[in-house]
Amino acid sequence: MATPHDADNGDLPSPHEQNPYSSASRWRHQESSAYHRHATHELGHAREPVTTGNTGPLTDFLNAGRTEPDGHVQPGANHQPITIAAAHGLEGEQLDDGRGEVASLDGRQIICGPLLNYRRMDESQWHGSVLVVTKGGGQQVLHQPSLYLRRAGHAGEVAAVNGVEQINGNGASHAHQGLEVQGRRLYSDRRVTFWAFDIVVPLEPEEIKYEYQLPDLRFSSSHKPRINAFFVPAAEESMRIMFHSCNGFSVGTDEDAFSGAPLWNDVLRKHEHAPFHVMVGGGDQIYNDGIRVNGPLRAWTDIGNPKKRREFPFAEKLRAECDDYYLQNYIRWYDSKPFAMANGQIPQINIWDDHDIIDGFGSYVDQFMRCDVFRGIGGTAHKYYMLFQQHMAPPKSTYTSDHLDPDGSEASDPDPNQLVDTFVADPRPDQQYIVGKEPGPYVAEHSYNIYSRLGARIALVGIDARTERTRHQVNYPETYELIFERLRTELREAVVTSRPIKHLILLLGIPIAYPRLTWLENVFRSPIMGPIKFLNRRFGLGGGFFNHFDGSVDLLDDLDDHYTARTHKVERAELITELQDIAAEFSVRVTILGGDVHLAALGRFYSNPKLEIPVEQDSRYMANVISSAIVNKPPPQPVANFLATRNKIHHLNRDTDETLLDLFDKDPGESNKTAGHNHCTMPSRNYATLTENSPNTPSWHADSDEQSAGQNGSSSPSFAGRDGHSELHKGELSAGTKHRAASTETHGRGNDGSLDIAINVEIDQHDPEGKTQGYGLSVPMLQHEPRAA
């Protein structure tokens, strides 16, 4: 699809201005002159003569003169009014259109979105999508919306178009004045309809701003901008990246005590200063745990007998209630500001984690994970994860215990009960996905892993670490094989182009370079816990210390989730070793993103100091940016301080060590969040930014900044023989608040090809503006040279 080009200033045209065949008399085809007068006076407009579908205003007009009798209305009585059934599960039939006017259920009301996703790019084009959810639907819909896209000019400039060219939903044609993208329906039932708009624009020599709007739809939220914008990087530049995780509150959190979700205000401020090209979600983009507290699983959770809880059926009625819960919770959260404001302006790439389903999903004991209820909510959560977060059509139906094959296994054919007055599009996976060969053990769907190019010299691999997860594995070995086969193919093809990949970002849902807590796992699994568990089941001793699902210690599912857990030790080592081989083979620097733990830290893998390999040539050096949570409450200060005492130097193997960096030289602002000895774990809400110091950036001089970053041109200190409790290369010198990468003004302003990383930490949880303190470091490019054995 080609891009719209610059044109004269002006608003985007309405769709009506594009129809040369419309009647000169708009009211020529109205139902009656009386209704014409009524509609013009009461609604400000009458029904368009070429519009099909909704007859709500006309129905109300015809019913206005009817007299309703007192008392009970008998079914089939002549005085029953003609009505259009309200959308099930959504409030009311009439909606405010954002201007104080009441509109009927006509398929034009946006109740969530727009949500902007980034998919991938090739040598010449950027691919993405926009999603909106409209009220009402079914097999047939009353309106197919269009998105209007325009090229607004170089970043920082404002341009407009005064014309639009029609295209179809599968692509676009050349347009000199603008583009119209028709909606592609992903899913529709009586409650809602999901529309996706596929966007493809060319890469240009300079960074370009695009604007889009949906002029023939109404917004139910007054805070949503009617015109949104996003930025596409220059063809020879890499993307500016924002990374976040744990975007919601755990059950029982006092949200007012944390001022809601203010760090998204800080994200938007930084986006206004230097626009982010992509927003990477590391899991838990939404918290659905409330389904067991104030949702349809409350009664099931309250069953005291574990055996009865395991055997509880997930019948169609319960499935429908859970389906409605997930849908409503997504709409509520994704349409709430300030998060909603970022959703429409910064393209997203997401993987999911347990809270996108329910806390601990996948890490409870196998027998319990295979129960009907967990299989059911796993499928339902997957349905809305695919729609809201991946902009993809879901499976035709999800698991219920009412629809099984004769042998008791999940039926292979769609459940007809779930397809009543429901439309589900055929699957159309984008080539960004690496799809697992076999369905997961508890979510009976295939994993969707991601490969995406993030501009000229950065690529991202995201591992779906939830679909295939059990207590003893994170992913199937076959899935890792597919991921690394695809990765080698992409890196090999990039090497022979003018834009070889220099930085590879691995996106994980959980940290992988993190303090060990094996001794705590051993305590929780030891026989001494048996009598305590018995007293908890019989008398409630221990309260919230034990979870409400399988009766295990509540923290155990979190410990089992981590790559550093005893059960994942071999899988973790194999993953890191494979990454080291990739780094050495293609001379690409690997940086890992992970969240989940609700605090900030920076882990590193690196070559054993005895090998005396400079980091610039060390294919084993990988930074693990641990950024969590952007919304959820942090752990208590003593927990973070305790983790800091466990920050030992560990040996992955004889050639690779690992530990956390002392990144936090001071607490944010004037706060007091950590003990004096703790400089490696920060218990405060946060998110991360990553920007390449582009080799295309002209040389610049900022002596104080260069000096503060340990790069002032003086003789560099020797790093030979140092371990991870010291700086390992010049990009780690002065790591923290004084590093160049920590400042918004100087972040990513260098030109040595390194990757600037900043973790932006909330200063005051009571500040609704969400101001943050930056902590920075730089990761050098890899210049690997094969060494003799």
Side-chain angles (χ1 to χ4, degrees), residues 345-369:
Q345 301 178 51
I346 310 174
Q348 304 171 63
I349 290 180
N350 297 321
I351 61 172
W352 67 338
D353 206 27
D354 57 337
H355 293 283
D356 296 276
I357 310 171
I358 197 170
D359 185 21
F361 188 96
S363 291
Y364 299 113
V365 295
D366 181 74
Q367 186 180 19
F368 183 69
M369 285 301 314

Tab-separated table of all heavy atoms in Angstrom, residues 345-369:
chain	number	residue	atom	x	y	z
A	345	GLN	N	-1.676	6.004	19.730
A	345	GLN	CA	-0.604	6.819	19.165
A	345	GLN	C	0.728	6.092	19.027
A	345	GLN	O	1.546	6.459	18.183
A	345	GLN	CB	-0.383	8.053	20.052
A	345	GLN	CG	-1.604	8.931	20.208
A	345	GLN	CD	-1.336	10.095	21.133
A	345	GLN	OE1	-0.351	10.825	20.970
A	345	GLN	NE2	-2.183	10.269	22.137
A	346	ILE	N	0.959	5.077	19.881
A	346	ILE	CA	2.237	4.363	19.844
A	346	ILE	C	1.957	2.929	19.433
A	346	ILE	O	1.264	2.201	20.144
A	346	ILE	CB	2.938	4.392	21.212
A	346	ILE	CG1	2.999	5.821	21.772
A	346	ILE	CG2	4.350	3.818	21.085
A	346	ILE	CD1	3.550	5.899	23.179
A	347	PRO	N	2.465	2.474	18.296
A	347	PRO	CA	2.197	1.103	17.847
A	347	PRO	C	2.724	0.075	18.845
A	347	PRO	O	3.838	0.205	19.358
A	347	PRO	CB	2.943	1.016	16.515
A	347	PRO	CG	3.104	2.436	16.062
A	347	PRO	CD	3.259	3.243	17.315
A	348	GLN	N	1.930	-0.954	19.098
A	348	GLN	CA	2.251	-1.947	20.112
A	348	GLN	C	2.722	-3.275	19.509
A	348	GLN	O	2.279	-3.669	18.434
A	348	GLN	CB	1.016	-2.251	20.965
A	348	GLN	CG	0.389	-1.041	21.631
A	348	GLN	CD	-0.935	-1.396	22.279
A	348	GLN	OE1	-0.994	-2.204	23.201
A	348	GLN	NE2	-2.017	-0.792	21.795
A	349	ILE	N	3.600	-3.955	20.249
A	349	ILE	CA	3.909	-5.379	20.056
A	349	ILE	C	3.788	-6.020	21.431
A	349	ILE	O	4.407	-5.541	22.386
A	349	ILE	CB	5.330	-5.608	19.511
A	349	ILE	CG1	5.459	-5.140	18.068
A	349	ILE	CG2	5.706	-7.081	19.594
A	349	ILE	CD1	6.846	-5.343	17.494
A	350	ASN	N	2.999	-7.088	21.559
A	350	ASN	CA	2.741	-7.678	22.863
A	350	ASN	C	2.940	-9.191	22.867
A	350	ASN	O	2.648	-9.865	21.873
A	350	ASN	CB	1.292	-7.406	23.303
A	350	ASN	CG	0.995	-5.930	23.488
A	350	ASN	OD1	1.828	-5.182	23.983
A	350	ASN	ND2	-0.187	-5.512	23.083
A	351	ILE	N	3.432	-9.692	23.993
A	351	ILE	CA	3.264	-11.090	24.354
A	351	ILE	C	2.422	-11.113	25.623
A	351	ILE	O	2.214	-10.068	26.251
A	351	ILE	CB	4.613	-11.810	24.577
A	351	ILE	CG1	5.395	-11.145	25.722
A	351	ILE	CG2	5.431	-11.848	23.307
A	351	ILE	CD1	6.641	-11.922	26.137
A	352	TRP	N	1.909	-12.286	25.998
A	352	TRP	CA	1.070	-12.317	27.198
A	352	TRP	C	1.732	-13.095	28.319
A	352	TRP	O	2.719	-13.791	28.128
A	352	TRP	CB	-0.320	-12.844	26.892
A	352	TRP	CG	-0.455	-14.297	26.478
A	352	TRP	CD1	0.506	-15.120	25.949
A	352	TRP	CD2	-1.644	-15.072	26.543
A	352	TRP	NE1	-0.016	-16.351	25.673
A	352	TRP	CE2	-1.340	-16.363	26.034
A	352	TRP	CE3	-2.948	-14.827	26.959
A	352	TRP	CZ2	-2.286	-17.381	25.947
A	352	TRP	CZ3	-3.890	-15.845	26.863
A	352	TRP	CH2	-3.557	-17.088	26.377
A	353	ASP	N	1.163	-12.932	29.531
A	353	ASP	CA	1.663	-13.645	30.697
A	353	ASP	C	0.468	-14.082	31.538
A	353	ASP	O	-0.678	-13.998	31.084
A	353	ASP	CB	2.647	-12.773	31.477
A	353	ASP	CG	3.646	-13.597	32.276
A	353	ASP	OD1	3.947	-14.735	31.882
A	353	ASP	OD2	4.123	-13.109	33.314
A	354	ASP	N	0.707	-14.509	32.774
A	354	ASP	CA	-0.369	-15.164	33.513
A	354	ASP	C	-1.550	-14.256	33.825
A	354	ASP	O	-2.708	-14.663	33.717
A	354	ASP	CB	0.156	-15.809	34.798
A	354	ASP	CG	0.858	-14.837	35.728
A	354	ASP	OD1	1.335	-13.785	35.257
A	354	ASP	OD2	0.960	-15.138	36.937
A	355	HIS	N	-1.307	-12.999	34.201
A	355	HIS	CA	-2.423	-12.128	34.592
A	355	HIS	C	-3.329	-11.770	33.419
A	355	HIS	O	-4.470	-11.356	33.630
A	355	HIS	CB	-1.903	-10.853	35.267
A	355	HIS	CG	-1.257	-11.110	36.593
A	355	HIS	ND1	-1.977	-11.350	37.736
A	355	HIS	CD2	0.050	-11.180	36.939
A	355	HIS	CE1	-1.148	-11.547	38.757
A	355	HIS	NE2	0.095	-11.451	38.286
A	356	ASP	N	-2.832	-11.914	32.188
A	356	ASP	CA	-3.711	-11.761	31.033
A	356	ASP	C	-4.772	-12.871	31.016
A	356	ASP	O	-5.777	-12.753	30.318
A	356	ASP	CB	-2.904	-11.826	29.728
A	356	ASP	CG	-1.917	-10.682	29.606
A	356	ASP	OD1	-2.331	-9.602	29.170
A	356	ASP	OD2	-0.741	-10.878	29.943
A	357	ILE	N	-4.531	-13.934	31.785
A	357	ILE	CA	-5.494	-15.029	31.946
A	357	ILE	C	-6.018	-14.992	33.379
A	357	ILE	O	-7.147	-14.600	33.647
A	357	ILE	CB	-4.843	-16.397	31.660
A	357	ILE	CG1	-4.084	-16.361	30.327
A	357	ILE	CG2	-5.908	-17.505	31.660
A	357	ILE	CD1	-3.239	-17.596	30.066
A	358	ILE	N	-5.175	-15.418	34.323
A	358	ILE	CA	-5.436	-15.361	35.756
A	358	ILE	C	-4.116	-15.644	36.448
A	358	ILE	O	-3.249	-16.334	35.899
A	358	ILE	CB	-6.540	-16.373	36.171
A	358	ILE	CG1	-7.100	-16.035	37.551
A	358	ILE	CG2	-6.029	-17.794	36.109
A	358	ILE	CD1	-8.351	-16.837	37.913
A	359	ASP	N	-3.944	-15.122	37.640
A	359	ASP	CA	-2.679	-15.214	38.354
A	359	ASP	C	-2.193	-16.656	38.453
A	359	ASP	O	-2.907	-17.545	38.899
A	359	ASP	CB	-2.858	-14.635	39.764
A	359	ASP	CG	-1.562	-14.587	40.538
A	359	ASP	OD1	-0.490	-14.618	39.891
A	359	ASP	OD2	-1.609	-14.528	41.775
A	360	GLY	N	-0.942	-16.891	38.007
A	360	GLY	CA	-0.308	-18.187	38.148
A	360	GLY	C	-0.683	-19.222	37.115
A	360	GLY	O	-0.230	-20.372	37.209
A	361	PHE	N	-1.468	-18.841	36.109
A	361	PHE	CA	-1.922	-19.828	35.123
A	361	PHE	C	-0.733	-20.511	34.465
A	361	PHE	O	0.163	-19.867	33.942
A	361	PHE	CB	-2.780	-19.146	34.051
A	361	PHE	CG	-3.441	-20.111	33.108
A	361	PHE	CD1	-4.740	-20.530	33.329
A	361	PHE	CD2	-2.772	-20.617	32.000
A	361	PHE	CE1	-5.351	-21.429	32.471
A	361	PHE	CE2	-3.368	-21.514	31.139
A	361	PHE	CZ	-4.668	-21.922	31.378
A	362	GLY	N	-0.751	-21.851	34.515
A	362	GLY	CA	0.322	-22.638	33.926
A	362	GLY	C	1.315	-23.157	34.928
A	362	GLY	O	2.039	-24.121	34.637
A	363	SER	N	1.366	-22.553	36.134
A	363	SER	CA	2.390	-22.937	37.098
A	363	SER	C	1.829	-23.649	38.323
A	363	SER	O	2.558	-23.867	39.286
A	363	SER	CB	3.180	-21.695	37.542
A	363	SER	OG	3.969	-21.215	36.475
A	364	TYR	N	0.538	-23.991	38.296
A	364	TYR	CA	-0.007	-24.838	39.352
A	364	TYR	C	0.216	-26.305	38.979
A	364	TYR	O	0.653	-26.624	37.877
A	364	TYR	CB	-1.500	-24.542	39.553
A	364	TYR	CG	-1.777	-23.121	39.978
A	364	TYR	CD1	-2.444	-22.236	39.135
A	364	TYR	CD2	-1.338	-22.658	41.213
A	364	TYR	CE1	-2.676	-20.917	39.516
A	364	TYR	CE2	-1.572	-21.346	41.608
A	364	TYR	CZ	-2.234	-20.477	40.752
A	364	TYR	OH	-2.464	-19.186	41.136
A	365	VAL	N	-0.101	-27.196	39.917
A	365	VAL	CA	0.146	-28.620	39.665
A	365	VAL	C	-0.650	-29.083	38.446
A	365	VAL	O	-1.752	-28.591	38.176
A	365	VAL	CB	-0.218	-29.462	40.913
A	365	VAL	CG1	0.698	-29.129	42.071
A	365	VAL	CG2	-1.669	-29.275	41.296
A	366	ASP	N	-0.089	-30.043	37.721
A	366	ASP	CA	-0.653	-30.458	36.435
A	366	ASP	C	-2.088	-30.945	36.564
A	366	ASP	O	-2.945	-30.602	35.737
A	366	ASP	CB	0.230	-31.559	35.843
A	366	ASP	CG	-0.273	-32.041	34.496
A	366	ASP	OD1	-0.096	-31.299	33.508
A	366	ASP	OD2	-0.840	-33.143	34.430
A	367	GLN	N	-2.385	-31.740	37.581
A	367	GLN	CA	-3.726	-32.293	37.734
A	367	GLN	C	-4.765	-31.186	37.864
A	367	GLN	O	-5.863	-31.273	37.307
A	367	GLN	CB	-3.777	-33.215	38.956
A	367	GLN	CG	-5.098	-33.954	39.118
A	367	GLN	CD	-5.105	-34.847	40.343
A	367	GLN	OE1	-4.306	-34.672	41.253
A	367	GLN	NE2	-6.017	-35.815	40.354
A	368	PHE	N	-4.413	-30.137	38.582
A	368	PHE	CA	-5.356	-29.035	38.751
A	368	PHE	C	-5.452	-28.180	37.487
A	368	PHE	O	-6.521	-27.725	37.100
A	368	PHE	CB	-4.933	-28.169	39.937
A	368	PHE	CG	-5.886	-27.043	40.222
A	368	PHE	CD1	-7.148	-27.297	40.716
A	368	PHE	CD2	-5.517	-25.728	39.983
A	368	PHE	CE1	-8.031	-26.268	40.971
A	368	PHE	CE2	-6.393	-24.701	40.233
A	368	PHE	CZ	-7.655	-24.962	40.730
A	369	MET	N	-4.311	-27.960	36.811
A	369	MET	CA	-4.321	-27.145	35.603
A	369	MET	C	-5.183	-27.762	34.504
A	369	MET	O	-5.694	-27.053	33.637
A	369	MET	CB	-2.898	-26.935	35.073
A	369	MET	CG	-2.049	-25.946	35.845
A	369	MET	SD	-2.729	-24.266	35.931
A	369	MET	CE	-3.221	-23.967	34.271
